[in-house]
Amino acid sequence: MSSDATLEAKYDGCPVIKTLEEVGSRWRMTVIHVLREGELRFNELKRATGANSQTLSRVLDDLGEKGYVERRVDEGSPVAVYYSLTPKGRELLSAFDEISEWGEKWILDEE
């Protein structure tokens, strides 16, 4: 077995690697972080994240399919679509708090 295969086997099933593969993109993490403030409409999320409409739509669909974000349609006039974190998504927030503390110490302090 090559050393690459050995490393691959060692980290196959690693929860850190698997989690980062699922939520580790810039836009996915940004959307989850912004939604920590509560339910937001699409355009509010767009402004808060700086993502373009196509990217944000794709990310919200992806996070919805994976169970991190839920979509609620208010059929009033005008129709409004809201996004919020599911319990699964909210459970990630403690990890974001840890990342924030680390970033304040090691990234922001160095700037």
Side-chain angles (χ1 to χ4, degrees):
M1 185 180 278
S2 73
S3 62
D4 287 344
T6 303
L7 276 176
E8 186 176 321
K10 179 180 178 181
Y11 291 106
D12 187 41
C14 171
V16 172
I17 303 285
K18 294 292 185 187
T19 301
L20 289 175
E21 287 173 350
E22 191 159 301
V23 297
S25 80
R26 170 189 175 190
W27 293 116
R28 289 183 202 146
M29 293 181 78
T30 299
V31 167
I32 292 168
H33 181 68
V34 168
L35 284 174
R36 81 181 304 136
E37 301 301 322
E39 188 176 64
L40 293 172
R41 292 175 71 165
F42 184 88
N43 284 333
E44 293 170 323
L45 269 170
K46 186 177 167 191
R47 281 190 297 275
T49 62
N52 67 46
S53 295
Q54 183 178 4
T55 297
L56 182 57
S57 181
R58 180 180 40 81
V59 167
L60 288 167
D61 288 346
D62 186 47
L63 289 172
E65 287 174 16
K66 290 182 165 105
Y68 294 94
V69 170
E70 59 190 4
R71 181 179 187 262
R72 179 177 69 83
V73 178
D74 181 356
E75 297 291 343
S77 181
V79 173
V81 180
Y82 295 89
Y83 296 90
S84 61
L85 294 175
T86 63
K88 181 179 179 180
R90 284 191 299 275
E91 280 199 39
L92 271 175
L93 298 179
S94 60
F96 278 63
D97 293 339
E98 294 288 326
I99 291 169
S100 178
E101 288 177 24
W102 184 89
E104 287 175 12
K105 179 178 180 180
W106 294 102
I107 304 297
L108 296 181
D109 283 351
E110 293 177 359
E111 291 181 349

